[in-house]
Amino acid sequence: MSYDMAQRGFGEIWATAQHVDAVHGLYYAILHGIFEMFGPGLATLRWPSVVAVAGAACAVTLLGRDLAGARAGLVAGLVFPLLPAVQQYAQEGRSYALVTCLVSWSTWLLVRATRTPGRVAWALYTCALVAGCWMHEFALLVLPAHALMIGAMRVGRHVLRSWAIAATCTVAASTPLVVVSMGQAAQVSWISAVSWADIAPWACAAAFGTLGCLVLRRTAAAPAWKSALALLLAPTATLLVLSLLRNLYVDRYVLYAQAGLALLVGIAVDRGSRRRFGYWVCAAGVAAFGTYALAVVAPALRMPDSRSDDVRAMSALLGQIRTRADGFVFLPSSRRAWVLYDNPEKPYFTDLTLRQSPRASHTLYGTELETAAIADRMTSVCRILAVRDPLLEGIETSPQDDEKRRILDQQFRALESWQVSKAHVTLYVRAACAA
């Protein structure tokens, strides 16, 4: 989806963001500018995320140095980009790495502003945080963590007042995006209720962090480990609370909380290395984790099987079998995004249910014909390739999708099937043609 949106002009991105995907509008505009300078391509799509994670690692290093010392900062900065969740989104063309970078820098700027107060310091903090919120509105969820950090530092009233003003300005500046996004809430209807499997990684990290803080509380400065724990726990906990009102929990929305975990590791290694033989034990532990992250996690994340949407494999498959059918249908219609990789405006197939392309209609997936027209077009051909996502079919529903299923069930029979990642492609033949 990012690849398609980045190839649209600024005016088209603005027109689309007014009624869908406003939360990613700024990111799409930045990608479009990058595509204009360097040309479209998967490498061009992904390198901003790589640079963003590198920038976030620098911010985590500085944050750890200011909170717990140079050694803690160095270890935290080295561990952060190796964390599995961070590695995953460092290679994807989405906004979450950039959000993490901006939030990490705003957190460091917060610590600097509490120590060298002044209008410039607080203005820089506010600007970085507002930029992160406009990149994705859930960057606002770091504010509870920042409030806890301020409390842990035991600052004066003037600092509290300055932070309150900065936080208020951030919320006010982000309100337009939040309001527009609330009007587009149907876009996240695919998010299911929170399950234990969803929160298990965070819960394990939270348990590890809390246990580590119980051990560190007598040896490490309180503001350091309390700040790290707040950054790890508060954003995700706030998102879980919001999910009680509406299903919103997706771990990548608060990817920046991983900085708190890296900081806790850095503080633990710093303190542990000061004991007898502790330096070598900690060095061996960090080396073992780095080896595992680079030799096991990194290759696994870059294998085709790790992709939930392998658009290149889908394009290759449809390119091979397209001549077997007279046209295509997508169930649900949002899965049309799978085939926008090669040529977003002029796909190489006949889409039997498409009324306007995504770009022409200023939407993400295009607009579809009315149900009567869909029935006419589907029953006018003999062979149809149905591209389906079984997981989403029960979540994203529409009268058009119901009509496609009805026609396929009543007037067609399946001949052959293929599977690419989570996509199921089935070749159907109309019973009248087969007879």
Side-chain angles (χ1 to χ4, degrees), residues 223-235:
W225 63 261
K226 286 183 178 180
S227 296
L229 190 62
L231 193 56
L232 172 63
L233 299 183

Side-chain angles (χ1 to χ4, degrees), residues 191-418:
I191 301 178
S192 58
V194 179
S195 66
W196 170 247
D198 296 328
I199 64 172
W202 173 76
C204 292
F208 164 79
T210 304
L211 179 62
C213 288
L214 292 175
V215 175
L216 293 170
R217 70 183 188 278
R218 294 181 180 178
T219 59
W225 63 261
K226 286 183 178 180
S227 296
L229 190 62
L231 193 56
L232 172 63
L233 299 183
T236 306
T238 305
L239 182 57
L240 286 171
V241 172
L242 292 176
S243 297
L244 297 176
L245 304 175
R246 182 185 180 90
N247 295 335
L248 292 172
Y249 181 78
V250 181
D251 56 358
R252 61 178 176 266
Y253 290 167
V254 285
L255 179 65
Y256 50 82
Q258 296 289 319
L261 179 59
L263 288 170
L264 286 173
V265 173
I267 296 170
V269 170
D270 175 57
R271 296 299 167 177
S273 64
R274 300 185 185 190
R275 297 179 178 271
R276 187 177 183 182
F277 303 116
Y279 177 85
W280 298 109
V281 172
C282 291
V286 172
F289 171 74
T291 302
Y292 171 76
L294 294 175
V296 179
V297 176
L301 288 173
R302 285 155 180 79
M303 295 295 289
D305 292 342
S306 69
R307 305 291 177 185
S308 60
D309 295 328
D310 194 343
V311 293
R312 287 197 293 182
M314 175 61 68
S315 294
L317 171 64
L318 296 182
Q320 293 171 5
I321 64 177
R322 67 182 187 273
T323 56
R324 301 191 188 185
D326 303 309
F328 289 67
V329 297
F330 296 88
L331 287 163
S333 60
S334 64
R335 297 305 85 194
R336 187 172 285 110
W338 279 337
V339 298
L340 297 177
Y341 165 70
D342 283 332
N343 192 333
E345 190 60 19
K346 295 181 180 179
Y348 50 57
F349 57 85
T350 300
D351 191 330
L352 296 173
T353 65
L354 185 66
R355 180 172 61 184
Q356 275 190 311
S357 69
R359 181 173 295 184
S361 60
H362 300 304
T363 61
L364 298 180
Y365 315 117
T367 57
E368 296 204 317
L369 298 166
E370 299 298 327
T371 55
I374 288 176
D376 290 341
R377 294 199 67 181
M378 290 180 65
T379 55
S380 68
V381 300
C382 288
R383 293 180 174 233
I384 292 176
L385 278 169
V387 182
R388 313 180 78 148
D389 184 344
L391 294 176
L392 281 184
E393 277 195 68
I395 300 173
E396 298 181 9
T397 60
S398 69
Q400 286 87 345
D401 289 341
D402 292 339
E403 183 68 6
K404 296 173 204 173
R405 280 188 285 267
R406 186 187 69 81
I407 296 295
L408 289 175
D409 292 341
Q410 294 181 1
Q411 302 195 35
F412 287 78
R413 63 181 178 87
L415 285 183
E416 194 172 357
S417 295
W418 302 263

Side-chain angles (χ1 to χ4, degrees), residues 3-16:
Y3 190 87
D4 174 36
M5 288 295 297
Q7 295 184 77
R8 304 187 191 186
F10 291 117
E12 292 174 307
I13 293 173
W14 171 254
T16 302

Side-chain angles (χ1 to χ4, degrees), residues 46 49-50 53-54 78-93 97 100 255 258 289-302 306-307:
R46 291 175 178 172
S49 294
V50 177
V53 167
L78 291 174
V79 167
F80 175 76
L82 297 178
L83 295 173
V86 177
Q87 284 198 61
Q88 179 177 351
Y89 292 101
Q91 60 168 339
E92 295 198 1
T100 299
L255 179 65
Q258 296 289 319
F289 171 74
T291 302
Y292 171 76
L294 294 175
V296 179
V297 176
L301 288 173
R302 285 155 180 79
S306 69
R307 305 291 177 185

Side-chain angles (χ1 to χ4, degrees), residues 140-151:
L140 281 169
L141 301 183
V142 79
L143 286 176
H146 286 179
L148 292 172
M149 291 175 66
I150 290 287

Side-chain angles (χ1 to χ4, degrees), residues 99-258:
V99 175
T100 299
C101 180
L102 291 166
V103 170
S104 298
W105 279 104
S106 73
T107 305
W108 176 71
L109 288 169
L110 171 66
V111 174
R112 300 300 295 176
T114 60
R115 298 181 179 182
T116 55
R119 293 182 177 180
V120 173
W122 286 109
L124 290 174
Y125 163 72
T126 305
C127 289
L129 193 51
V130 169
C133 293
W134 271 90
M135 195 66 66
H136 196 288
E137 60 187 346
F138 282 167
L140 281 169
L141 301 183
V142 79
L143 286 176
H146 286 179
L148 292 172
M149 291 175 66
I150 290 287
M153 295 175 193
R154 298 180 180 179
V155 296
R157 290 185 177 180
H158 65 287
V159 174
L160 286 173
R161 184 169 55 252
S162 297
W163 179 79
I165 293 172
T168 302
C169 292
T170 300
V171 172
S174 305
T175 297
L177 177 61
V178 174
V179 171
V180 173
S181 297
M182 289 176 64
Q184 302 172 359
Q187 188 178 343
V188 293
S189 60
W190 58 270
I191 301 178
S192 58
V194 179
S195 66
W196 170 247
D198 296 328
I199 64 172
W202 173 76
C204 292
F208 164 79
T210 304
L211 179 62
C213 288
L214 292 175
V215 175
L216 293 170
R217 70 183 188 278
R218 294 181 180 178
T219 59
W225 63 261
K226 286 183 178 180
S227 296
L229 190 62
L231 193 56
L232 172 63
L233 299 183
T236 306
T238 305
L239 182 57
L240 286 171
V241 172
L242 292 176
S243 297
L244 297 176
L245 304 175
R246 182 185 180 90
N247 295 335
L248 292 172
Y249 181 78
V250 181
D251 56 358
R252 61 178 176 266
Y253 290 167
V254 285
L255 179 65
Y256 50 82
Q258 296 289 319

